[in-house]
Amino acid sequence: MVTVGIKEVARRAGVSPGTVSNVLNRPERVAAATRSRVEQAIRELGFVRNGSASTLRAGQSRAVGLVVLDVGNPFFVEVARGVEDVVSDRDHAVILCNSGESPEKETRNLRVLAEQRVRGVLITPAGDDVSGLGRLRERGVAVVFVDHSASGDVCSVAVDDVAGGELAVRHLIGNGARRLAFVSGSKAIRQCGDRRRGALRALETSGLPPGTLADVVVPEMNAHGGQHAARTLLDEGLPDAVFCANDLLALGVLRVLLQAGVRVPEDVALIGYDDIEFSSAAAVPLSSIRQPTYQLGKIATELLLDECDDPDGHAHQQIMFQPELVVRESSG
């Protein structure tokens, strides 16, 4: 296979290789007629620029990194769709990394992204230690937190998860629940901790003691983790209602409860979080807390690329969306 380079394009268009380079990188410097000839030659020859070589010369690529907690969670799939739509419009690409809720794996992801000379990183941190992101920023790589709040020196786009947790549990209490369980991952994951705080706030405002809420912590925030949690609840005694930190956990809980002959919501009410697409199609349609998932990815990426394009003039923003309660059959 013959590789077409800049010299071949220049020869076809009757210009210098430098002019071809300008058309590719600084088209505004080239006269319209000349630019048109070069672009026609590029199409006729099927020329594709060498992105790796451009990256070596410029010190950066036209890619951004996206590091998520669980690439199998439809919530993050929708976030990634918002990210990709923006980077595609801006002639960039996305490198998707999955931390698997592991700070160690997240560190490896960030190292690989730095080696790839990405322009910026969008990340949902796996824990409280974000020192690796500070080192990345010192190297001139922009960082934006997604679904995670941040301080004033970095951009973030998040949802008020304390309010979301309060919405969920206040709804369950309003339907008569007095013994509740909260199924989640590690409290080191900011979303889990915030949703639990919101749940406890709902108990307080309802005059119920904190002990009303039993914690069930699972190693993975997916359907398997939810199934494990449901078996634990069956062994230890079922509560009136279960609040799950995401919908995948709730769907796992629902499956095991139904298999055990437990009626939802008559015996146990159930609510999830995220309102993923599958929630409304569950065997018992799942109540949930809705987040503007696509918007999280879209707006975070716009902030990231704005900072990349104008680091000195960019003003950091911390955007906080409000969640929405979506009531279906599972919560009564």
Side-chain angles (χ1 to χ4, degrees):
M1 179 178 177
V2 177
T3 301
V4 176
I6 282 180
K7 290 182 180 179
E8 287 75 22
V9 173
R11 191 177 302 118
R12 173 68 67 92
V15 299
S16 69
T19 299
V20 177
S21 179
N22 280 337
V23 170
L24 294 171
N25 301 298
R26 296 171 292 276
E28 70 281 357
R29 296 186 179 183
V30 184
T34 304
R35 187 167 67 242
S36 178
R37 284 208 317 276
V38 172
E39 289 172 345
Q40 182 178 350
I42 287 172
R43 289 192 297 270
E44 291 174 352
L45 295 173
F47 169 79
V48 177
R49 83 162 75 201
N50 187 331
S52 297
S54 299
T55 297
L56 287 172
R57 287 193 298 272
Q60 280 189 331
S61 69
R62 298 184 67 81
V64 299
L66 173 61
V67 184
V68 300
L69 294 175
D70 180 7
V71 74
N73 188 332
F75 169 84
F76 287 111
V77 173
E78 188 68 4
V79 168
R81 192 171 70 85
V83 172
E84 203 281 329
D85 281 353
V86 175
V87 298
S88 178
D89 287 343
R90 303 273 284 267
D91 198 25
H92 283 59
V94 185
I95 300 175
L96 177 61
C97 300
N98 179 43
S99 72
E101 303 171 17
S102 164
E104 293 77 18
K105 189 174 180 183
E106 175 184 286
T107 298
R108 293 196 298 272
N109 289 336
L110 293 176
R111 185 176 64 247
V112 169
L113 292 174
E115 291 169 355
Q116 295 299 314
R117 303 292 195 271
V118 294
R119 294 193 75 196
V121 171
L122 300 151
I123 184 168
T124 305
D128 294 328
D129 183 6
V130 293
S131 56
L133 295 171
R135 290 190 293 272
L136 207 60
R137 295 179 69 203
E138 289 171 0
R139 299 179 58 174
V141 179
V143 172
V144 174
F145 290 121
V146 183
D147 195 34
H148 192 286
S149 56
S151 60
D153 66 339
V154 64
C155 285
S156 64
V157 183
V159 175
D160 188 342
D161 282 319
V162 175
E166 185 175 12
L167 273 176
V169 171
R170 195 168 62 209
H171 169 65
L172 295 173
I173 292 171
N175 283 351
R178 293 297 178 268
R179 294 178 300 111
L180 298 96
F182 177 51
V183 178
S184 73
S186 167
K187 294 184 181 68
I189 297 174
R190 196 273 311 167
Q191 293 88 336
C192 294
D194 282 359
R195 291 166 195 177
R196 183 178 185 274
R197 280 191 288 276
L200 292 174
R201 194 162 72 181
L203 296 181
E204 182 180 359
T205 57
S206 301
L208 297 173
T212 303
L213 185 73
D215 288 302
V216 181
V217 179
V218 295
E220 294 180 313
M221 291 178 59
N222 54 27
H224 293 297
Q227 291 171 18
H228 173 80
R231 295 186 189 103
T232 299
L233 292 172
L234 286 167
D235 290 342
E236 297 180 358
L238 289 173
D240 300 327
V242 179
F243 169 36
C244 293
N246 70 26
D247 285 346
L248 291 182
L249 287 170
L251 292 171
V253 168
L254 178 64
R255 179 179 181 181
V256 169
L257 291 183
L258 294 179
Q259 287 176 340
V262 177
R263 298 174 303 164
V264 177
E266 292 85 354
D267 300 325
V268 177
L270 178 65
I271 189 168
Y273 206 107
D274 293 338
D275 194 33
I276 62 175
E277 185 178 356
F278 306 135
S279 299
S280 61
V284 179
L286 183 66
S287 295
S288 189
I289 301 297
R290 177 179 294 161
Q291 305 191 74
T293 316
Y294 176 86
Q295 289 296 109
L296 287 175
K298 178 178 183 293
I299 293 175
T301 310
E302 290 171 347
L303 291 173
L304 183 77
L305 293 180
D306 287 348
E307 182 175 355
C308 291
D309 292 340
D310 185 16
D312 295 328
H314 176 78
H316 293 305
Q317 298 181 54
Q318 291 76 45
I319 297 173
M320 183 73 75
F321 288 101
Q322 291 303 309
E324 176 188 352
L325 172 66
V326 179
V327 178
R328 299 190 181 97
E329 293 174 25
S330 71
S331 59

